[in-house]
Amino acid sequence: MTVIDFTAFIGRLATASGETILPFFRTSLSIDNKSASDFDPVTEADRAAEAVMRRLIKANFPQHGIVGEEFGNERQDAEYVWVLDPIDGTKSFIAGFPIWGTLIALLHKGTPVFGMMHQPYIGERFSGDSGSAHYSGPSGERRLTVRRCATLKKATSFTTSPLLMNAADREAFGRVEAAVRLTRYGGDCYSYCMLAAGHLDLVVETELKPYDIAALIPIVTGAGGVVTNWEGKPAQSGGRIIAAGDARVHEAALKLLNS
């Protein structure tokens, strides 16, 4: 598959998933809860979008594996594996807020080599291959670059919600929150894209699944940022994640999280 063919295919996946999701957005859609102990919503839009992407992948690359939030794993040990989250930010989606996106990642031998976040309602696409990252949307097209930030004291930080953290992790996050200039909640996948675009400096999360983070790693690193788990190791397996635009902020936040 050539670069041009690959770019075109990724675009087809994003377009097809967006066309499937949008008729459900801001409508009275039914909502199911996937969790017995908490609220983990899933909608018909999630399932339909993942189904259409799976069909396209199987038709074009039957030898590739697929990992998806809604329909599980197929050929997970294949050389190339697609990792799909049809709607990252379902809670925002069901509340009518456009702070959600479709995450599409391609792994080669377990390592994310390409990622895209597609927001069809706004018409934005953020993509990266670890070597570079790009934006396409209403304001045109441009290369994404993180911003420099020397210290936590000058940093803007995001997390989806500290209520998603266990007590120990929430306490650790509190040390970071006390050290930065500003912390905001919410965002899901958008936080990482805004970090890659140079609008914020730090994202700290816990309890992420591989499909929550795999597509975002090449976008952040392609823009010049750093993404690891809280132990400073590769992040594609999910868990406790820290992303920073500047390595100095990443190092300082890691120390506080593990102190």
Side-chain angles (χ1 to χ4, degrees), residues 83-85 102-107 112-118 126-130 189 192-193 209-221 236:
V83 182
L84 309 173
D85 189 346
T102 298
L103 297 180
I104 304 169
L106 181 62
L107 275 55
V113 293
F114 181 87
M116 175 179 283
M117 192 283 268
H118 175 48
F126 299 81
S127 62
D129 60 6
S130 296
C189 58
Y192 297 87
C193 293
K209 300 294 191 294
Y211 48 73
D212 294 318
I213 190 64
L216 299 166
I217 294 170
I219 298 173
V220 172
T221 57
Q236 57 260 32

Side-chain angles (χ1 to χ4, degrees), residues 88 160 164 188 192 203-214 216 227-228 235-242:
D88 184 79
T160 297
L164 297 173
D188 292 287
Y192 297 87
V203 182
V204 180
E205 306 267 38
T206 64
E207 311 298 334
L208 295 191
K209 300 294 191 294
Y211 48 73
D212 294 318
I213 190 64
L216 299 166
V227 188
T228 68
Q236 57 260 32
S237 295
R240 303 186 301 173
I241 304 299
I242 175 172

